[in-house]
Amino acid sequence: MNLPRFYPIFDSADWLDRMLPLGVKLVQLRVKDRSPADTRGEIRRARDLCRATGAILVVNDHWRIALDEGCDWLHLGQEDLDSADLSAIRAGGLRLGVSTHDDAELARALTLRPDYIALGPVWPTILKKMKWHQQGLDKLTEWKARIGHIPLVAIGGLNPDRAPLALAAGADVVSVVTDITLNPDPESRVREWLRVTA
């Protein structure tokens, strides 16, 4: 499967409303700390925005809502895997991306026949505290050799200068959060990302 190479992650549908018109074709909605009704509303709006622009929406974590709302893709972290009903997810036709950080997590992810595998943080990240400081480019090359045809997503500390390095090391897709959301001109930054990943 060929996924778009640029994969931003946003915490609200408002971001998608701003960024999808620029040409973003693969996006994750990561809604945290919202009420169930708000979360469902955000996912529903993001779904409709992506359908209108032909983009792929990946819903982070909220697999029940993703199923209920007819979404196509889901992303689960390792902790999310512990509580998710994977048989229901697959029966519902959701495509699945899984986060990995070490050999044990990769082995677990591969048993799920995922539609992509994410490795991070490739570089140090400010997004969240992790016990993994920095995976590095060599780990991307190693992971890609091990997973073969499954798309590999690089995440963590990426910027437009580092993206080509990650792609050259074996990543199929580069994912980013704060490099866009904390940028003083997010739209210009997204255009730059689209240029370097075209």
Side-chain angles (χ1 to χ4, degrees), residues 67-85:
L67 284 171
D68 289 348
E69 298 298 333
C71 297
D72 300 315
W73 282 81
L74 178 70
H75 180 92
L76 294 177
Q78 291 287 320
E79 304 81 17
D80 304 323
L81 290 173
D82 295 334
S83 55
D85 184 338

Side-chain angles (χ1 to χ4, degrees), residues 91-184:
L94 281 171
R95 292 176 176 264
L96 179 63
V98 179
S99 296
T100 65
H101 308 89
D102 60 29
D103 289 328
E105 291 183 356
L106 178 60
R108 181 188 194 190
L110 288 172
T111 67
L112 306 174
R113 293 177 289 106
D115 296 284
Y116 73 72
I117 284 177
L119 173 67
V122 180
W123 282 275
T125 176
I126 61 170
L127 184 61
K128 50 187 175 182
K129 291 290 184 197
M130 290 185 164
K131 62 182 178 182
W132 300 274
H133 172 61
Q134 180 174 344
Q135 303 283 7
L137 293 171
D138 289 346
K139 193 83 166 275
L140 282 174
T141 304
E142 177 194 339
W143 247 230
K144 187 58 187 174
R146 292 171 66 177
I147 69 176
H149 68 281
I150 303 170
L152 177 62
V153 177
I155 187 168
L158 275 97
N159 59 40
D161 293 331
R162 289 171 168 174
L165 301 176
L167 293 166
D172 300 290
V173 180
V174 283
S175 190
V176 62
V177 185
T178 55
D179 186 71
I180 295 167
T181 58
L182 297 183
N183 193 285

Side-chain angles (χ1 to χ4, degrees), residues 1-10 16 20 23-29 46-59 71-74 95-96 115-116 173:
M1 172 192 310
N2 287 327
L3 288 171
R5 299 206 296 174
F6 174 50
Y7 183 21
I9 298 173
F10 298 115
L16 275 67
L20 292 174
V24 172
K25 290 299 177 187
L26 173 64
V27 65
Q28 184 181 130
L29 182 68
R47 177 203 64 194
D48 293 346
L49 287 166
C50 285
R51 285 184 180 162
T53 57
I56 296 168
L57 172 67
V58 182
V59 175
C71 297
D72 300 315
W73 282 81
L74 178 70
R95 292 176 176 264
L96 179 63
D115 296 284
Y116 73 72
V173 180

